[in-house]
Amino acid sequence: LCLIHCMGGTDCHHGNLIANGEQPVVIDTETLVHPLPQIERSQDSVVIDSDAPHLAQKQLKESVLKTLLLHQWGISQSDRLDVDFSGLGGVEGQEISSFKLKNINTDGMNVEFEVSILTEANMPTIDGIALSPKDYLADLVVGFKQMYRFLLTHREDILAADSPLNSFVNQKARYVFRSTRIYFGILENSYQPNLLRYGVDRSIGLDVLSRAFLAEKEKPIYWELLDAELQSMEELDIPFFTSNSSEDFLSLANGTVIPEIFAEPSYDRVLWQIENLSETDLKQQIDIIYSSFYSRFAQEPNPVSSKSIDRVLASEIDPILPSEEIVTQAIAIAQELEQRAIGAVDGSMTWIGLGHRFNNQGFQLQGLGYSLSDGSAGVALFFASLFRVTRDSQWCELALRTL
């Protein structure tokens, strides 16, 4: 996990990880030294970095989560799919809806949704029973710390001119513009009979790829990629793009060159990643690892009825804490929040936390939204209430910065 993170790797989902005995084996390393898209590091990066919510999203995108080894629902943070495709969190037994051909070689042949059970080889088993990664979280964290500090200790050697790292200069690496699963789903849907009668209908079915650009005010830098995607899918292929680790442009198979499509050459990004290793960053990555596992395996508590509460004897209820102790605990919580806050240059602040997903009653690691229940408005209300009780102006200031 640590090496793939520091090498700028991604796409290590459950299909690219095989359990060989007790050891995980990555079978697809074509996305090491993966370039960072320009859209994620805007040309006006100063504006984006000055806003705390955007800064929180950027930190998540550039954290260990980008490896896809750690849990997230679906194929992106904004995905509403209730399936975990990650390398470590994607345990077997999950249900997924997929397209299946029905009544093959008959006039009634059609494509329908069918629920199937994931049976990937990324999870080790004992006597046919898949082991849960949550039971080995402590071991994972220890290994991550050891490798991180090893790289930190030997940083000068790794960045030296004769370092083995230099073998990644001018190397080809796959650029994953969209998830293969998106292409595969659209391609399977295009096999429906009502899209196969006329070529124009099938082309319209494939053109759903362009929906991602509808919100753009101007033609995006990725426009030429859309033409290449559609051409590949018209030929029943999955679009595949290759970048050079020492270049910030992308050359397509048809000869088209898209300049400055990447924020920087991906090899330079790896060097930056290693140069900026620190104990502060290590703590942040460890927190994200723990939060990722919690969001995957945490369960909603069983609801307690009012009748059950009424049956609790008064003698079994803990006595109310003195008000002074409550305030002391509240101040300690506020100080912890201040320490963990992500602050931007405009003075705003936010946090990375767990958002509730109503469609599957699960949780997703994300930057705080603006809601009162699990967003920045609730945190601001807490700071404001603490200011009202203590009259300490620092809590008032933090409340305003949170809003």
Side-chain angles (χ1 to χ4, degrees):
L1 175 61
C2 182
L3 285 175
I4 294 174
H5 167 62
C6 292
M7 290 299 299
T10 186
D11 208 39
C12 296
H13 52 74
H14 64 175
N16 286 337
L17 192 71
I18 289 181
N20 181 23
E22 62 181 5
Q23 302 298 334
V25 178
V26 179
I27 61 172
D28 193 350
T29 58
E30 62 186 1
T31 53
L32 283 179
V33 198
H34 190 267
L36 189 66
Q38 190 70 261
I39 194 172
E40 293 181 13
R41 286 190 121 195
S42 169
Q43 295 173 355
D44 195 10
S45 61
V46 174
V47 174
I48 287 182
D49 290 353
S50 67
D51 181 74
H54 285 94
L55 190 58
Q57 290 300 322
K58 176 186 171 186
Q59 288 189 12
L60 278 176
K61 288 180 179 180
E62 298 180 4
S63 71
V64 287
L65 289 180
K66 75 177 185 296
T67 65
L68 290 189
L69 278 170
L70 298 175
H71 156 72
Q72 66 179 20
W73 296 111
I75 54 182
S76 68
Q77 287 191 316
S78 58
D79 200 334
R80 297 183 62 83
L81 197 61
D82 301 332
V83 181
D84 179 11
F85 294 115
S86 64
L88 295 178
V91 294
E92 293 184 6
Q94 299 183 97
E95 294 185 351
I96 182 172
S97 296
S98 58
F99 292 108
K100 295 293 182 182
L101 286 172
K102 299 291 186 178
N103 306 314
I104 297 176
N105 294 332
T106 70
D107 292 341
M109 186 169 69
N110 203 351
V111 179
E112 297 179 0
F113 277 107
E114 182 178 279
V115 176
S116 57
I117 305 296
L118 288 179
T119 55
E120 297 291 341
N122 66 310
M123 297 305 299
T125 61
I126 294 180
D127 295 331
I129 300 176
L131 303 179
S132 175
K134 68 178 180 180
D135 297 328
Y136 304 91
L137 174 58
D139 300 300
L140 176 67
V141 170
V142 168
F144 187 90
K145 287 181 178 179
Q146 289 176 345
M147 179 54 66
Y148 193 102
R149 288 180 172 137
F150 175 85
L151 297 176
L152 189 60
T153 302
H154 298 278
R155 177 163 47 194
E156 292 186 5
D157 296 329
I158 296 172
L159 298 175
D162 58 348
S163 167
L165 189 63
N166 291 326
S167 62
F168 287 91
V169 174
N170 284 316
Q171 292 295 321
K172 291 183 178 180
R174 181 187 175 192
Y175 170 49
V176 182
F177 180 56
R178 306 186 209 238
S179 168
T180 300
R181 185 166 293 273
I182 291 178
Y183 294 132
F184 190 73
I186 294 175
L187 204 56
E188 282 195 320
N189 185 58
S190 71
Y191 301 151
Q192 296 194 54
N194 63 324
L195 297 180
L196 294 177
R197 295 187 180 98
Y198 303 100
V200 65
D201 290 334
R202 185 168 186 273
S203 295
I204 293 174
L206 296 177
D207 200 47
V208 296
L209 286 169
S210 62
R211 290 180 180 175
F213 303 121
L214 293 180
E216 300 287 342
K217 295 181 179 179
E218 300 178 358
K219 184 179 291 187
I221 192 174
Y222 305 101
W223 192 253
E224 287 83 358
L225 275 176
L226 177 62
D227 288 337
E229 288 178 313
L230 293 174
Q231 181 178 347
S232 295
M233 297 190 72
E234 288 281 7
E235 299 170 355
L236 306 182
D237 286 333
I238 298 295
F240 189 93
F241 304 108
T242 302
S243 64
N244 186 297
S245 63
S246 299
E247 300 170 349
D248 64 354
F249 60 87
L250 182 65
S251 299
L252 304 180
N254 60 7
T256 301
V257 176
I258 307 178
E260 297 182 345
I261 189 174
F262 304 127
E264 58 194 330
S266 55
Y267 180 75
D268 292 352
R269 177 66 186 176
V270 171
L271 296 181
W272 180 91
Q273 182 89 23
I274 296 175
E275 288 172 353
N276 286 271
L277 296 176
S278 66
E279 288 293 331
T280 300
D281 178 68
L282 172 59
K283 184 179 183 303
Q284 182 183 41
Q285 302 307 321
I286 294 298
D287 287 343
I288 291 176
I289 293 174
Y290 276 116
S291 299
S292 172
F293 269 70
Y294 183 82
S295 67
R296 173 64 176 87
F297 298 105
Q299 296 181 345
E300 282 284 294
N302 294 325
V304 179
S305 67
S306 58
K307 293 182 179 179
S308 299
I309 296 177
D310 293 338
R311 286 196 296 265
V312 177
L313 298 177
S315 59
E316 296 178 356
I317 301 177
D318 293 333
I320 298 176
L321 295 174
S323 58
E324 296 81 4
E325 188 172 346
I326 293 177
V327 173
T328 300
Q329 293 294 331
I331 291 175
I333 293 173
Q335 291 172 340
E336 179 74 12
L337 285 171
E338 182 180 16
Q339 181 181 358
R340 291 176 174 268
I342 298 173
V345 295
D346 66 350
S348 62
M349 58 193 300
T350 190
W351 293 262
I352 293 174
L354 296 178
H356 185 250
R357 292 169 56 92
F358 293 99
N359 51 326
N360 69 343
Q361 296 300 305
F363 299 91
Q364 179 83 343
L365 191 60
Q366 60 188 33
L368 289 191
Y370 299 101
S371 69
L372 182 65
S373 60
D374 60 356
S376 56
V379 179
L381 178 61
F382 168 71
F383 282 134
S385 300
L386 189 58
F387 165 69
R388 181 180 180 183
V389 172
T390 64
R391 310 310 299 177
D392 190 334
S393 61
Q394 67 169 317
W395 308 129
C396 178
E397 179 184 350
L398 290 179
L400 295 175
R401 291 180 60 189
T402 303
L403 293 174

